[in-house]
Amino acid sequence: MSLPILVSFLLFLSLPLLFLTTHFPFFSSSPDADDLSLFRRSTTTTTTTTTNLKPKIAFLFLTNSNLSFAPLWQKFFSYDPNRHLFNIYIHADPTSAVADPGGVFHGNFIPSKKTYHSSPTLISATRRLLANALLHDPLNQYFTLVSQHCIPLFSLRFVYNYLFQNSLTSLTNFAASRSFIEILSDEPNLYERYLARGEDVMLPEVPYHHFRVGSQFFTVTRRHAELVVRDQRLWKKFRLPCITEEPCYPEEHYFPTLLSMEDRNGCTGFTLTRVNWTGCWNGHPHLYTPEEVSPELVCKLRESNSSSYLHLFARKFSPECLVPLMDMADDVIFRDSEVGHC
């Protein structure tokens, strides 16, 4: 075979691989070295032994567009102007030109990579957020993942006291706290999603009876955040491409499955972020519009079917909802005295 013909033949064979690389760049044989280095460093830092400092909440914003509700969150965070109770970390898709909203958000963008809906890139982005927060401040004890479409339903004071149960004023005994992450085993299409990468592909690491689903958004403890960024065993399965026509939504399965397998008793099984899936079928929840925003909606979103837990956050809101939300922020959303009157 002549050299030109051989070269043409090799190029022809490479076309399927080129197509996959072009359309699905998140499928690679191994995690990037910089991510692995970050994860390693974030789980080898020394945890503070000081007991007279208050624990903090790390708010992790995962976005591929501008933070439309930054003014509402600014008001939420203004309760603690010196930032003794919280830290902020933002993973913004670098191809989306997300603007820095300034204020309390300024300077809190972490090194980020492109994300795709219903793909393992959302898992990677979340792990980067967790790793950066772990590495940055040992006082971060709860890690709350939210999106650009999320809003708070209570004041920061209420959220902080709710998570740390009022009586906790230091890091003492925090190890007994549990993560707020939805863990479901009886949802429709669960078996189809399990098989989405191919029959028996998830074995032996993830047998079907351990496969779980839950909300992409959660609040986890520090020990569970460390468990997530340290994991390689389950990640090598969930990062594999789906081969079915329907998406398999790995970001809704990886975290519930991992934490359920490793420490189910350490999780409440409940997410603090309310989402309305009524009548939705395309992987996107109900999008609230300005006409729907009211004090009654806020009260409804706070409620849950659990006698033990409330919803502290909610999604998904259109950017145009900012005006009516700001109009009732002080009198409804952040007025803790009214919590019991919803």
Side-chain angles (χ1 to χ4, degrees), residues 323-339:
V323 172
L325 286 169
M326 290 294 288
D327 286 344
M328 65 179 185
D330 292 329
D331 294 333
V332 178
I333 299 175
F334 302 140
R335 190 174 181 180
D336 293 342
S337 61
E338 296 299 313
V339 169

Side-chain angles (χ1 to χ4, degrees), residues 302-318:
R302 288 171 173 174
E303 298 172 354
S304 76
N305 56 7
S306 168
S307 60
S308 302
Y309 308 112
L310 294 170
H311 289 114
L312 304 184
F313 315 98
R315 64 185 291 267
K316 182 176 184 181
F317 288 80
S318 68

Side-chain angles (χ1 to χ4, degrees), residues 144-156:
T144 294
L145 181 68
V146 293
S147 78
Q148 74 271 36
H149 301 293
C150 289
I151 66 165
L153 295 176
F154 292 100
S155 70
L156 174 61

Side-chain angles (χ1 to χ4, degrees), residues 105-334:
F105 293 97
H106 180 66
N108 293 311
F109 286 75
I110 70 166
S112 305
K113 299 178 183 179
K114 183 164 181 58
T115 56
Y116 299 83
H117 178 62
S118 305
S119 83
T121 60
L122 295 174
I123 300 175
S124 296
T126 301
R127 296 177 84 198
R128 284 185 211 105
L129 282 164
L130 290 169
N132 275 274
L134 285 167
L135 193 60
H136 171 248
D137 193 340
L139 293 177
N140 288 333
Q141 296 297 308
Y142 265 124
F143 300 75
T144 294
L145 181 68
V146 293
S147 78
Q148 74 271 36
H149 301 293
C150 289
I151 66 165
L153 295 176
F154 292 100
S155 70
L156 174 61
R157 175 178 60 184
F158 183 92
V159 170
Y160 186 88
N161 290 337
Y162 185 90
L163 288 176
F164 293 109
Q165 301 299 310
N166 290 306
S167 60
L168 182 62
T169 57
S170 71
L171 301 183
T172 306
N173 298 326
F174 183 75
S177 297
R178 297 201 294 168
S179 290
F180 294 87
I181 179 170
E182 191 173 48
I183 299 175
L184 304 172
S185 60
D186 57 353
E187 290 299 286
N189 304 320
L190 189 66
Y191 189 60
E192 288 77 3
R193 291 195 188 186
Y194 179 75
L195 298 177
R197 297 165 186 84
E199 191 171 357
D200 297 333
V201 169
M202 301 297 285
L203 297 174
E205 288 82 0
V206 187
Y208 176 66
H209 65 273
H210 284 317
F211 191 62
R212 299 291 182 266
V213 65
S215 171
Q216 178 187 355
F217 300 96
F218 52 67
T219 296
V220 295
T221 62
R222 188 176 185 93
R223 74 179 185 278
H224 285 163
E226 291 176 344
L227 188 156
V228 167
V229 299
R230 191 183 296 118
D231 171 62
Q232 291 295 325
R233 190 170 67 93
L234 266 63
W235 168 234
K236 71 180 182 180
K237 293 295 186 177
F238 281 94
R239 69 191 312 274
L240 295 173
C242 300
I243 61 174
T244 56
E245 185 175 338
E246 294 297 322
C248 57
Y249 305 102
E251 72 278 11
E252 296 180 2
H253 295 278
Y254 172 73
F255 300 103
T257 301
L258 174 63
L259 294 187
S260 177
M261 291 179 67
E262 295 293 334
D263 185 19
R264 180 62 182 88
N265 291 334
C267 303
T268 63
F270 181 83
T271 177
L272 299 177
T273 301
R274 177 71 174 267
V275 183
N276 182 4
W277 289 102
T278 304
C280 300
W281 54 270
N282 60 352
H284 295 281
H286 176 75
L287 180 67
Y288 291 103
T289 62
E291 294 74 23
E292 297 175 272
V293 175
S294 67
E296 291 74 23
L297 176 64
V298 171
C299 290
K300 180 180 179 181
L301 293 175
R302 288 171 173 174
E303 298 172 354
S304 76
N305 56 7
S306 168
S307 60
S308 302
Y309 308 112
L310 294 170
H311 289 114
L312 304 184
F313 315 98
R315 64 185 291 267
K316 182 176 184 181
F317 288 80
S318 68
E320 295 77 20
C321 291
L322 176 63
V323 172
L325 286 169
M326 290 294 288
D327 286 344
M328 65 179 185
D330 292 329
D331 294 333
V332 178
I333 299 175
F334 302 140

